[in-house]
Amino acid sequence: MAAPRRLWGLVRKEALQVVRDPSSIAIAFVLPAVLLFLFGYGVSLDPVGVRLGLVIENPTGETGSFVAGFAHSPYFAVTTYPERRAAEEDLQAGRLKGVAVLAADFGARLGRSETAPVQLLLDGTDANTARLVKGYVEGLWAKWLEIEALQKGMTAPLAVTLEPRVWFNPELRSRYFLVPGLIAIVMTLIGTLLTALVVAREWERGTMEALMTTPAGVGEILIGKLVPYFLLGMGGMGLSVAMGVWLFGVPLRGSFLTLTGTTAVFLAASLATGLFISTVARNQFVAGQVAMVAAFLPAFMLSGFIFEIGSMPWPIQAISHLVPARYFVSILQTLFLAGDVPGEILPDTAAIGAIAAFFLILTGRRTRKRLD
């Protein structure tokens, strides 16, 4: 059993080293603040001010009201054209994301209660934006038809009306979805780097050799390394959550206690991963590269933060189960948007705990009190 006094000495020694080392403070607090600020404001799945061309071959009262509906929408920046050739040239040149064409007989066909189609041309180089623009145009078109029918005293032709209700994110703001996932990605990076770089630096400087000559056991050394950086990581998580709630306005509907507990388990997994990397690569540069490739990139690509896991091939989906960030992204999105849902949170937390235990055991077996 570890001697409490000796263990406390190791923890205190590591804490003093953290205080004297500005890079650890920068990784825990400056790095998440910068990344959250850049990604929080720079990454958005909500197209606002999309450049759209409207071709009005024969201006009428109906076409005027149709154009007004687009002009008052925050999603589009509308440019009107009298004929389609100029609009198509701007679309080919990348100056427009889409073109809606109202033919010369648009108003006349509406007046005769005939079908008056609107042609929509889209720039498909960005398929996601093209799908969103298509959906927004169809939504505005349906709303305009409804308003026109009411103004003319017409009843809706269908007896069934759709009344959508969106749970958890009724305003459909992508930031509410992205910021919790971004916090998980940032915590993966700083948790892994805190131990991977710092311990590798000790191997480079020779201080780890001096530590190996002490009576402290391997378990005591590992705990002494983990505890200060765990507290540092929890502080960085607190800053990240505060920025998410107060700076980006993301609601936190779950309990702070649940958030703290799940974060503690995830930080243990990230720190253990970094500690294992430091035992394999005893060089700061190599440790940093391995941490990026083995922790950050899988967390970014395979966590569901941006790319839908269900759309991936099944071998990639299977690999994603080995990524702790996959479970933490799900936990944070649940806590922020839905609240405390034990059926979602507990299985994910258990999976993260199993990964943390695996890396701690692996690191303990690999760490030996010898310098070969």
Side-chain angles (χ1 to χ4, degrees):
M1 183 177 180
R5 186 174 180 180
R6 188 167 59 214
L7 183 59
W8 168 247
L10 290 170
V11 172
R12 183 173 180 273
K13 169 259 179 192
E14 200 66 34
L16 290 174
Q17 183 171 327
V18 168
V19 173
R20 295 167 183 167
D21 184 8
S23 65
S24 299
I25 305 297
I27 291 174
F29 294 100
V30 179
L31 184 61
V34 171
L35 290 178
L36 278 171
F37 186 82
L38 292 177
F39 279 88
Y41 283 112
V43 178
S44 176
L45 300 180
D46 301 326
V48 178
V50 175
R51 299 182 303 277
L52 182 72
L54 290 180
V55 178
I56 312 298
E57 295 182 346
N58 181 24
T60 62
E62 289 81 1
T63 60
S65 64
F66 183 79
V67 172
F70 281 87
H72 291 90
S73 171
Y75 302 113
F76 297 107
V78 177
T79 302
T80 57
Y81 298 83
E83 49 90 23
R84 69 167 61 209
R85 176 175 297 179
E88 290 177 352
E89 290 177 354
D90 285 346
L91 181 64
Q92 292 175 355
R95 290 186 287 269
L96 297 174
K97 290 296 183 182
V99 174
V101 181
L102 278 66
D105 60 349
F106 178 81
R109 297 180 69 170
L110 275 182
R112 296 194 299 267
S113 299
E114 298 178 2
T115 301
V118 176
Q119 184 181 31
L120 182 62
L121 307 176
L122 296 172
D123 180 358
T125 54
D126 185 347
N128 184 62
T129 300
R131 284 192 293 266
L132 290 173
V133 171
K134 179 176 180 291
Y136 285 153
V137 170
E138 290 176 345
L140 283 172
W141 167 245
K143 188 67 177 178
W144 180 81
L145 285 177
E146 181 182 346
I147 294 174
E148 284 291 304
L150 290 175
Q151 289 178 347
K152 295 178 180 179
M154 300 169 58
T155 58
L158 296 178
V160 179
T161 59
L162 180 65
E163 296 182 0
R165 180 182 178 186
V166 180
W167 284 17
F168 312 130
N169 186 6
E171 297 178 357
L172 295 177
R173 292 186 179 179
S174 64
R175 181 176 292 175
Y176 289 2
F177 170 81
L178 290 175
V179 169
L182 178 60
I183 292 175
I185 303 303
V186 170
M187 293 309 300
T188 299
L189 179 61
I190 67 174
T192 307
L193 286 179
L194 276 174
T195 47
L197 291 182
V198 174
V199 177
R201 185 186 308 137
E202 287 201 53
W203 283 110
E204 286 184 349
R205 293 176 177 176
T207 55
M208 186 62 76
E209 283 86 344
L211 186 60
M212 289 295 186
T213 62
T214 66
V218 172
E220 294 173 291
I221 294 174
L222 294 180
I223 294 174
K225 292 290 180 188
L226 288 175
V227 171
Y229 297 111
F230 174 83
L231 297 177
L232 203 61
M234 291 297 289
M237 180 64 180
L239 174 64
S240 300
V241 172
M243 289 182 65
V245 173
W246 291 319
L247 182 61
F248 300 114
V250 183
L252 178 58
R253 298 191 172 100
S255 69
F256 187 75
L257 182 62
T258 305
L259 177 63
T260 303
T262 53
T263 299
V265 178
F266 178 74
L267 261 181
S270 296
L271 293 172
T273 303
L275 202 59
F276 175 72
I277 291 173
S278 70
T279 63
V280 177
R282 299 182 180 184
N283 175 279
Q284 289 186 78
F285 177 78
V286 176
Q289 296 300 310
V290 173
M292 291 292 293
V293 173
F296 177 72
L297 288 181
F300 191 87
M301 303 291 291
L302 303 178
S303 65
F305 165 54
I306 291 181
F307 307 106
E308 177 63 37
I309 295 177
S311 302
M312 300 176 183
W314 69 263
I316 306 300
Q317 293 187 40
I319 295 173
S320 72
H321 288 285
L322 305 177
V323 180
R326 169 192 171 132
Y327 306 103
F328 197 47
V329 166
S330 175
I331 289 172
L332 288 184
Q333 289 174 346
T334 301
L335 286 174
F336 272 89
L337 300 180
D340 293 337
V341 184
E344 292 289 331
I345 296 173
L346 291 180
D348 290 336
T349 306
I352 298 174
I355 295 174
F358 171 78
F359 277 107
L360 286 173
I361 294 173
L362 199 62
T363 304
R365 289 183 177 276
R366 183 173 178 80
T367 304
R368 294 289 184 268
K369 292 195 67 177
R370 61 189 186 203
L371 303 180
D372 54 349

